[in-house]
Amino acid sequence: MARPTARVVTESSALLSLRLTLCYLTRREHNVSGQERAEEKPQEPEEGFSAIFELASVGAVLGDAEGRIVRVNPRMCEITGYAEEELLGKTPADLTHPDDVEQDLERFRRMAAGETPVYGRENRYVRKDGRIRWVSVNAAPIRDENGRLLRIASVILDITERKHAEVKLKRQARQEALRAEVSAALAGGGT
Protein backbone atom coordinates (compact mmCIF):
# COMPACT_ATOMS: atom_id res chain seq x y z
CA MET A 1 0.00 0.00 0.00
CA ALA A 2 2.92 2.39 0.67
CA ARG A 3 4.09 2.00 -2.90
CA PRO A 4 1.00 3.63 -4.56
CA THR A 5 1.12 6.48 -2.03
CA ALA A 6 4.78 7.08 -2.89
CA ARG A 7 3.87 7.14 -6.57
CA VAL A 8 1.10 9.66 -5.99
CA VAL A 9 3.50 11.89 -4.07
CA THR A 10 6.07 11.53 -6.86
CA GLU A 11 3.48 12.30 -9.55
CA SER A 12 2.21 15.33 -7.60
CA SER A 13 5.77 16.56 -7.12
CA ALA A 14 6.50 16.02 -10.80
CA LEU A 15 3.36 17.95 -11.77
CA LEU A 16 4.29 20.85 -9.50
CA SER A 17 7.90 20.93 -10.70
CA LEU A 18 6.83 20.81 -14.31
CA ARG A 19 4.22 23.52 -13.85
CA LEU A 20 6.81 25.79 -12.25
CA THR A 21 9.21 25.02 -15.08
CA LEU A 22 6.60 25.83 -17.72
CA CYS A 23 5.80 29.12 -15.98
CA TYR A 24 9.50 30.00 -15.77
CA LEU A 25 10.19 29.23 -19.42
CA THR A 26 7.15 31.12 -20.63
CA ARG A 27 7.81 34.21 -18.51
CA ARG A 28 11.46 34.18 -19.54
CA GLU A 29 10.45 33.94 -23.19
CA HIS A 30 8.12 36.93 -22.79
CA ASN A 31 10.59 39.09 -20.86
CA VAL A 32 13.43 38.80 -23.35
CA SER A 33 13.06 40.57 -26.68
CA GLY A 34 14.15 38.85 -29.90
CA GLN A 35 17.31 41.00 -30.12
CA GLU A 36 18.27 40.27 -26.51
CA ARG A 37 17.55 36.58 -26.98
CA ALA A 38 19.86 36.40 -30.00
CA GLU A 39 22.69 38.07 -28.06
CA GLU A 40 22.14 36.19 -24.83
CA LYS A 41 24.36 33.27 -23.88
CA PRO A 42 22.58 30.15 -22.62
CA GLN A 43 22.33 30.13 -18.86
CA GLU A 44 22.56 27.07 -16.69
CA PRO A 45 19.13 27.48 -15.00
CA GLU A 46 17.31 27.66 -18.35
CA GLU A 47 19.10 24.53 -19.55
CA GLY A 48 18.02 22.79 -16.35
CA PHE A 49 14.40 23.84 -16.76
CA SER A 50 14.41 22.72 -20.39
CA ALA A 51 15.80 19.37 -19.29
CA ILE A 52 13.00 18.99 -16.73
CA PHE A 53 10.44 19.82 -19.44
CA GLU A 54 11.89 17.23 -21.81
CA LEU A 55 12.46 14.47 -19.22
CA ALA A 56 9.26 14.81 -17.19
CA SER A 57 7.25 11.65 -16.59
CA VAL A 58 4.07 13.59 -17.36
CA GLY A 59 2.98 15.24 -20.59
CA ALA A 60 3.94 18.91 -20.82
CA VAL A 61 2.45 21.40 -23.22
CA LEU A 62 2.88 25.10 -23.88
CA GLY A 63 0.04 26.65 -25.81
CA ASP A 64 -0.47 30.10 -27.24
CA ALA A 65 -3.26 32.44 -26.11
CA GLU A 66 -5.76 30.68 -28.40
CA GLY A 67 -4.78 27.27 -27.03
CA ARG A 68 -2.77 26.07 -30.04
CA ILE A 69 0.14 23.85 -29.05
CA VAL A 70 3.54 25.51 -29.54
CA ARG A 71 5.73 23.10 -27.56
CA VAL A 72 5.35 19.55 -26.21
CA ASN A 73 7.58 17.08 -24.47
CA PRO A 74 8.23 13.44 -25.47
CA ARG A 75 5.83 12.07 -22.83
CA MET A 76 2.96 14.03 -24.38
CA CYS A 77 3.79 12.40 -27.70
CA GLU A 78 3.66 8.97 -26.03
CA ILE A 79 0.29 9.70 -24.42
CA THR A 80 -1.31 10.88 -27.68
CA GLY A 81 0.53 8.70 -30.19
CA TYR A 82 1.38 11.76 -32.29
CA ALA A 83 4.84 12.96 -33.22
CA GLU A 84 5.84 16.40 -31.95
CA GLU A 85 5.45 17.93 -35.42
CA GLU A 86 1.91 16.54 -35.64
CA LEU A 87 0.91 18.04 -32.28
CA LEU A 88 2.22 21.54 -33.00
CA GLY A 89 -0.68 23.79 -34.00
CA LYS A 90 -3.35 21.43 -32.66
CA THR A 91 -5.65 22.48 -29.85
CA PRO A 92 -6.79 20.40 -26.88
CA ALA A 93 -10.17 20.06 -28.62
CA ASP A 94 -8.38 18.22 -31.46
CA LEU A 95 -7.22 15.58 -28.97
CA THR A 96 -10.24 15.41 -26.67
CA HIS A 97 -12.95 12.76 -26.97
CA PRO A 98 -16.02 14.26 -28.73
CA ASP A 99 -18.21 13.70 -25.64
CA ASP A 100 -15.81 15.78 -23.50
CA VAL A 101 -15.07 18.67 -25.89
CA GLU A 102 -17.93 21.01 -24.97
CA GLN A 103 -17.16 21.01 -21.22
CA ASP A 104 -13.46 21.26 -21.99
CA LEU A 105 -13.89 24.33 -24.17
CA GLU A 106 -16.09 26.05 -21.59
CA ARG A 107 -13.54 25.48 -18.82
CA PHE A 108 -10.73 26.71 -21.11
CA ARG A 109 -12.74 29.81 -22.01
CA ARG A 110 -13.36 30.61 -18.33
CA MET A 111 -9.66 30.24 -17.49
CA ALA A 112 -8.54 32.31 -20.48
CA ALA A 113 -11.03 35.04 -19.53
CA GLY A 114 -9.63 35.12 -16.00
CA GLU A 115 -12.86 33.83 -14.41
CA THR A 116 -10.95 30.90 -12.89
CA PRO A 117 -7.25 30.90 -12.02
CA VAL A 118 -6.49 27.40 -13.32
CA TYR A 119 -8.01 24.58 -15.29
CA GLY A 120 -8.16 21.07 -13.92
CA ARG A 121 -10.14 18.17 -15.32
CA GLU A 122 -10.13 14.46 -15.99
CA ASN A 123 -11.21 13.65 -19.50
CA ARG A 124 -10.51 11.38 -22.41
CA TYR A 125 -8.07 11.87 -25.25
CA VAL A 126 -8.38 10.03 -28.53
CA ARG A 127 -4.94 8.83 -29.57
CA LYS A 128 -3.78 8.92 -33.18
CA ASP A 129 -4.48 5.16 -33.40
CA GLY A 130 -8.05 5.71 -32.16
CA ARG A 131 -7.55 4.26 -28.67
CA ILE A 132 -8.94 6.18 -25.72
CA ARG A 133 -6.64 7.39 -22.92
CA TRP A 134 -7.94 8.91 -19.70
CA VAL A 135 -5.91 11.95 -18.66
CA SER A 136 -5.79 14.42 -15.82
CA VAL A 137 -5.14 17.85 -17.30
CA ASN A 138 -3.95 20.79 -15.21
CA ALA A 139 -3.39 24.09 -16.97
CA ALA A 140 -2.52 27.59 -15.87
CA PRO A 141 -2.53 30.84 -17.81
CA ILE A 142 0.67 32.83 -18.21
CA ARG A 143 -0.18 36.52 -18.33
CA ASP A 144 1.84 39.68 -18.84
CA GLU A 145 2.00 42.46 -16.27
CA ASN A 146 -1.26 43.90 -17.67
CA GLY A 147 -3.11 40.60 -17.30
CA ARG A 148 -3.09 39.81 -21.03
CA LEU A 149 -3.02 36.08 -21.74
CA LEU A 150 0.28 35.07 -23.35
CA ARG A 151 0.54 31.30 -22.99
CA ILE A 152 -1.12 28.32 -21.41
CA ALA A 153 1.11 25.93 -19.46
CA SER A 154 -0.33 22.43 -19.07
CA VAL A 155 0.67 19.16 -17.52
CA ILE A 156 -1.07 15.96 -18.56
CA LEU A 157 -1.01 12.78 -16.52
CA ASP A 158 -2.14 9.52 -18.12
CA ILE A 159 -4.61 8.01 -15.63
CA THR A 160 -5.96 5.24 -17.85
CA GLU A 161 -4.78 2.44 -15.58
CA ARG A 162 -6.35 4.11 -12.55
CA LYS A 163 -9.67 4.53 -14.39
CA HIS A 164 -9.63 0.85 -15.43
CA ALA A 165 -8.90 -0.16 -11.81
CA GLU A 166 -11.81 2.00 -10.58
CA VAL A 167 -14.19 0.30 -13.03
CA LYS A 168 -12.93 -3.11 -11.95
CA LEU A 169 -13.40 -2.27 -8.25
CA LYS A 170 -16.94 -1.00 -8.87
CA ARG A 171 -17.77 -4.17 -10.78
CA GLN A 172 -16.38 -6.31 -7.95
CA ALA A 173 -18.36 -4.32 -5.37
CA ARG A 174 -21.58 -4.83 -7.36
CA GLN A 175 -20.86 -8.57 -7.62
CA GLU A 176 -20.20 -8.78 -3.86
CA ALA A 177 -23.43 -6.93 -3.11
CA LEU A 178 -25.35 -9.27 -5.41
CA ARG A 179 -23.77 -12.33 -3.77
CA ALA A 180 -24.69 -10.97 -0.34
CA GLU A 181 -28.30 -10.42 -1.47
CA VAL A 182 -28.51 -13.94 -2.91
CA SER A 183 -26.95 -15.46 0.24
CA ALA A 184 -29.37 -13.53 2.46
CA ALA A 185 -32.33 -14.57 0.34
CA LEU A 186 -31.28 -18.23 0.39
CA ALA A 187 -30.60 -18.17 4.14
CA GLY A 188 -34.01 -16.63 4.78
CA GLY A 189 -35.81 -19.17 2.63
CA GLY A 190 -36.43 -16.68 -0.19
CA THR A 191 -36.26 -17.43 -3.87
Side-chain angles (χ1 to χ4, degrees), residues 44-176:
E44 203 172 304
E46 184 175 341
E47 291 171 5
F49 286 122
S50 289
I52 291 170
F53 183 91
E54 294 300 319
L55 298 173
S57 62
V58 295
V61 176
L62 277 177
D64 64 15
E66 286 77 40
R68 290 183 304 266
I69 296 171
V70 295
R71 185 173 179 189
V72 298
N73 72 344
R75 180 65 180 127
M76 185 62 178
C77 295
E78 291 172 21
I79 292 170
T80 64
Y82 288 96
E84 180 179 355
E85 301 77 31
E86 294 174 303
L87 286 171
L88 299 179
K90 286 187 180 295
T91 67
D94 296 328
L95 303 171
T96 302
H97 189 281
D99 294 343
D100 297 341
V101 169
E102 191 173 317
Q103 280 187 331
D104 226 32
L105 289 174
E106 177 58 21
R107 286 179 184 221
F108 176 84
R109 185 204 61 75
R110 291 182 67 218
M111 181 192 63
E115 295 172 21
T116 58
V118 295
Y119 167 98
R121 178 168 156 77
E122 291 182 356
N123 64 358
R124 295 165 288 178
Y125 276 177
V126 180
R127 287 175 43 91
K128 183 178 178 178
D129 60 15
R131 290 186 297 157
I132 305 298
R133 299 304 293 181
W134 276 96
V135 293
S136 173
V137 179
N138 290 286
I142 308 298
R143 299 182 186 281
D144 66 13
E145 55 280 348
N146 298 319
R148 185 175 59 97
L149 181 64
L150 300 173
R151 294 265 191 254
I152 306 291
S154 305
V155 290
I156 295 86
L157 179 64
D158 187 337
I159 59 169
T160 304
E161 288 182 28
R162 188 191 89 201
K163 286 293 192 177
H164 287 283
E166 288 173 0
V167 168
K168 185 177 178 180
L169 288 172
K170 285 180 185 176
R171 188 179 314 126
Q172 288 172 343
R174 282 193 307 264
Q175 289 173 347
E176 286 298 318

